[in-house]
Amino acid sequence: MSLEALSTNGVSIWLDDLSRTRIESGSLAKSVAEDSVVGVTTNPTIFAAALAEGSGYEDQLSELKASGTSTEDAVDALTVRDVQLACDILEPVYDATGGRDGRVSIEVPPTLAHDAEGTAECARKLHRMIDRPGVMIKIPATPEGLRAITAVTAEGISVNVTLIFSLDRYRRVVEAYINGLERAREAGHDLSTIHSVASIFVSRVDTEVDKRLENIGTDAAMALRGKAGIANCRAAYRIAEEQFSSERFAVLEAAGANRQRPLWASTGTKNPEYRDTLYVEELTAPGTVNTMPEKTLRAYADHGEDKGDTVTGTAAEASSVLDALAAAGIDYADVMRVLEEEGLQKFDDSWAELVQTVEEGLR
């Protein structure tokens, strides 16, 4: 009942995992039917793990090898097929929600993170290859990624903007989306078919900030552990409320445009001292998405506490927490810079692992 209540509170539950085994075993379909799961997110880390540990890819790998497919094209073929199959399972959800949910995200290669044109072209290619209305293309919120987001949104492609940490960068993400919608309208696209989410990372913020607070070591600093990630997201939610209530967006909304929803990413707690459902319970709000790894999903289903809306109206409190962190000696801008650099490096490493795993599979 916990997951159903979360959904009733306006949170779309997306599973942060995908594999051929999960698809073919019926596990994904069961999660959709029984756990209120209405979407799926993936990334290079997830695909690398699926290919390295899972089964179900042998026949396709044999076909790809027999046809002389390159490793790069094989990576596309394998991951695209998983996304297509997941989209098919979620198609009834897509239809029932008018495309708001029933979404499956696939990421452009992280090697393109600083290449706007390359990112946009890859997004177009993946969109064509998958050929399912429920697909969302994940693009990192680097400065170059923002330009690509505007470009592909203008062409009617739905985007999951990923790797967002700072509030300033989030404002630029919203701006990139709105710019894309305005161009899409000028080009004659049906704005109602374009959807977007902005993936704001949670637990990674606490991991980095807590480490710095512990180095400072004062009572005031130690009392702030575990509060930065939630405060950051609550402040972002207020930004979304403001930006999508503006006169500028009202013009687009009247033409059928959808609001870009905040998506809480990295919601599994990394500190064992914290409640394992912390980032679900404290970030429950209408018009949001929470993408959960299986472990967090099961934990919330088992003992999650329904606290209702824990975000709306908390902007002042969130601002006070961020101010207190600054007063304690936390350099917010530096934290966010480090997290973005680390995030890009982790995706690069996972991409390299994915490519290597596919190479081994082909051999």
Side-chain angles (χ1 to χ4, degrees):
M1 289 299 292
S2 296
L3 292 168
E4 186 178 342
L6 188 65
S7 180
T8 300
N9 284 328
V11 178
S12 290
I13 302 168
W14 290 7
L15 179 67
D16 192 29
D17 189 47
L18 185 63
S19 68
R20 196 70 54 89
T21 300
R22 184 179 288 278
I23 292 165
E24 293 181 344
S25 68
S27 173
L28 177 58
K30 184 178 179 181
S31 292
V32 173
E34 299 179 3
D35 298 324
S36 300
V37 168
V38 293
V40 171
T41 51
T42 66
N43 57 46
T45 305
I46 288 171
F47 279 129
L51 282 158
E53 302 169 9
S55 60
Y57 297 98
E58 296 87 350
D59 290 346
Q60 190 179 5
L61 280 165
S62 296
E63 292 170 4
L64 292 168
K65 181 178 181 179
S67 63
T69 304
S70 69
T71 300
E72 181 180 344
D73 288 343
V75 170
D76 283 345
L78 291 160
T79 56
V80 161
R81 186 60 184 146
D82 276 1
V83 172
Q84 288 176 325
L85 292 168
C87 282
D88 292 343
I89 291 169
L90 284 155
E91 185 175 4
V93 177
Y94 177 91
D95 292 339
T97 61
R100 179 180 175 85
D101 288 309
R103 292 288 180 171
V104 184
S105 297
I106 183 171
E107 190 160 348
V108 298
T111 52
L112 297 171
H114 300 297
D115 178 355
E117 291 303 321
T119 294
E121 186 50 45
C122 185
R124 296 181 190 108
K125 181 186 76 170
L126 288 171
H127 190 260
R128 285 194 306 269
M129 289 178 69
I130 293 166
D131 193 27
R132 299 289 193 280
V135 69
M136 262 188 172
I137 310 301
K138 289 179 82 171
I139 297 176
T142 59
E144 296 83 2
L146 296 176
R147 285 160 45 203
I149 290 158
T150 294
V152 300
T153 300
E155 297 171 23
I157 295 174
S158 294
V159 176
N160 176 341
V161 186
T162 189
L163 214 67
I164 305 170
F165 294 102
S166 78
L167 297 175
D168 178 64
R169 186 62 57 85
Y170 175 55
R171 288 188 183 92
R172 294 178 64 188
V173 167
V174 174
E175 177 76 11
Y177 174 60
I178 292 175
N179 285 343
L181 288 176
E182 289 172 339
R183 294 187 193 179
R185 186 186 184 202
E186 291 170 5
H189 288 289
D190 179 358
L191 299 188
S192 68
T193 66
I194 305 171
H195 290 260
S196 183
V197 293
S199 297
I200 303 164
F201 284 56
V202 192
S203 64
R204 293 191 195 181
V205 173
D206 275 342
T207 298
E208 179 64 24
V209 171
D210 285 2
K211 178 177 67 177
R212 298 185 183 209
L213 289 170
E214 287 161 8
N215 286 338
I216 294 168
T218 63
D219 289 345
M222 297 299 278
L224 290 167
R225 288 181 301 168
K227 295 185 177 181
I230 291 169
N232 199 54
C233 288
R234 288 175 171 175
Y237 188 80
R238 181 56 183 157
I239 291 171
E241 288 180 314
E242 292 169 351
Q243 294 300 311
F244 293 111
S245 298
S246 67
E247 291 183 11
R248 180 186 179 191
F249 187 75
V251 173
L252 294 166
E253 198 163 31
N258 299 289
R259 299 185 177 203
Q260 181 188 62
R261 289 182 291 169
L263 179 154
W264 314 132
S266 183
T267 55
T269 49
K270 293 180 171 57
N271 187 335
E273 295 179 14
Y274 298 157
R275 185 171 166 82
D276 55 3
T277 52
L278 176 69
Y279 300 127
V280 183
E281 294 167 349
E282 299 302 326
L283 291 173
T284 297
T288 60
V289 179
N290 195 308
T291 180
M292 305 181 207
E294 177 82 17
K295 183 178 179 181
T296 303
L297 182 80
R298 294 293 154 224
Y300 193 83
D302 179 66
H303 53 265
E305 183 179 347
D306 177 13
K307 298 183 177 181
D309 185 346
T310 53
V311 178
T312 304
T314 62
E317 179 187 343
S319 181
S320 295
V321 171
L322 296 176
D323 287 344
L325 287 164
I330 299 299
D331 185 336
Y332 179 88
D334 186 65
V335 167
M336 299 305 165
R337 178 190 61 77
V338 167
L339 288 171
E340 181 173 306
E341 290 177 357
E342 286 183 350
L344 288 169
Q345 185 60 55
K346 286 177 182 177
F347 279 166
D348 275 341
D349 293 344
S350 295
W351 184 257
E353 181 184 350
L354 173 59
V355 171
Q356 182 180 354
T357 303
V358 172
E359 283 179 347
E360 292 171 356
L362 290 171
R363 284 200 296 270

